[in-house]
């Protein structure tokens, strides 16, 4: 990441954190309730930002159909997304995904690994393209 990109990312993160900090407790509680998380989880989600998209990429690498899973297991997908958003192994995951190694290694560090393996066993894979 270039210095300019790093500065822009830091500025964006800072602005999101300031926006959250400007909300009163009732607004924070309402936001947390609306998205189904604890109020304590909000700063974690804000810090990760919208670029925290490892779960869809990982599911794609595992040939799992995230749209179908979201349709069948909406609450499970939300829970897995929240787990992913708070994950401390995001950098390793992103690097493995970028290098095409996630399928082989995600089970070593992913807090959603067991659930993802169960979904693979449930056979909610992407349809084969002819």
């Amino acid at each position: 990441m270039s210095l300019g990109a790093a500065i822009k990312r830091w500025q964006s993160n800072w602005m999101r954190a300031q926006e959250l900090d400007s909300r009163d407790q009732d607004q924070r509680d309402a936001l947390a309730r609306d998205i189904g998380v604890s109020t304590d989880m909000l700063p974690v989600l804000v810090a990760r930002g919208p670029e925290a998209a490892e779960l869809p990429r990982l599911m794609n690498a595992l040939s799992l159909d995230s749209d179908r899973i979201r349709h069948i297991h909406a609450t499970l997908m939300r829970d897995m997304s929240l787990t992913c958003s708070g994950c401390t192994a995001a950098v390793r995951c992103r690097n493995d995904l970028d290098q095409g190694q996630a399928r082989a290694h995600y089970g070593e560090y992913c807090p959603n690994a067991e659930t993802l393996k169960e979904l693979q066993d449930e056979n909610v894979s992407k349809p084969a393209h002819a």
Side-chain angles (χ1 to χ4, degrees):
M1 176 183 302
S2 72
L3 178 59
I7 291 171
K8 283 183 180 184
R9 185 174 181 182
W10 175 85
Q11 183 180 30
S12 178
N13 289 346
W14 182 83
M15 289 172 53
R16 284 193 308 269
Q18 289 298 110
E19 184 176 347
L20 180 63
D21 287 344
S22 72
R23 306 289 179 211
D24 66 31
Q25 191 61 47
D26 289 340
Q27 290 173 320
R28 288 182 196 195
D29 292 343
L31 176 59
R33 220 178 11 261
D34 287 349
I35 62 174
V37 300
S38 69
T39 306
D40 294 341
M41 186 66 170
L42 289 176
V44 174
L45 297 176
V46 167
R48 288 290 308 275
E51 63 277 352
E54 288 84 9
L55 182 61
R57 288 183 63 204
L58 179 57
M59 292 177 80
N60 186 51
L62 299 173
S63 300
L64 288 169
D65 187 338
S66 59
D67 291 333
R68 184 171 170 219
I69 294 167
R70 186 173 287 105
H71 179 73
I72 298 168
H73 304 291
T75 303
L76 178 65
M77 278 297 289
R78 187 203 68 209
D79 291 347
M80 287 194 323
S81 294
L82 291 172
T83 299
C84 186
S85 293
C87 180
T88 59
V91 171
R92 180 172 179 195
C93 182
R94 195 174 310 117
N95 288 339
D96 281 354
L97 286 163
D98 291 345
Q99 296 172 9
Q101 298 296 315
R103 186 178 195 91
H105 299 289
Y106 80 101
E108 299 168 9
Y109 55 82
C110 179
N112 285 317
E114 186 175 323
T115 304
L116 291 167
K117 288 174 185 173
E118 288 174 10
L119 289 168
Q120 287 177 308
D121 292 344
E122 189 179 311
N123 198 21
V124 283
S125 300
K126 291 183 173 191
H129 294 282

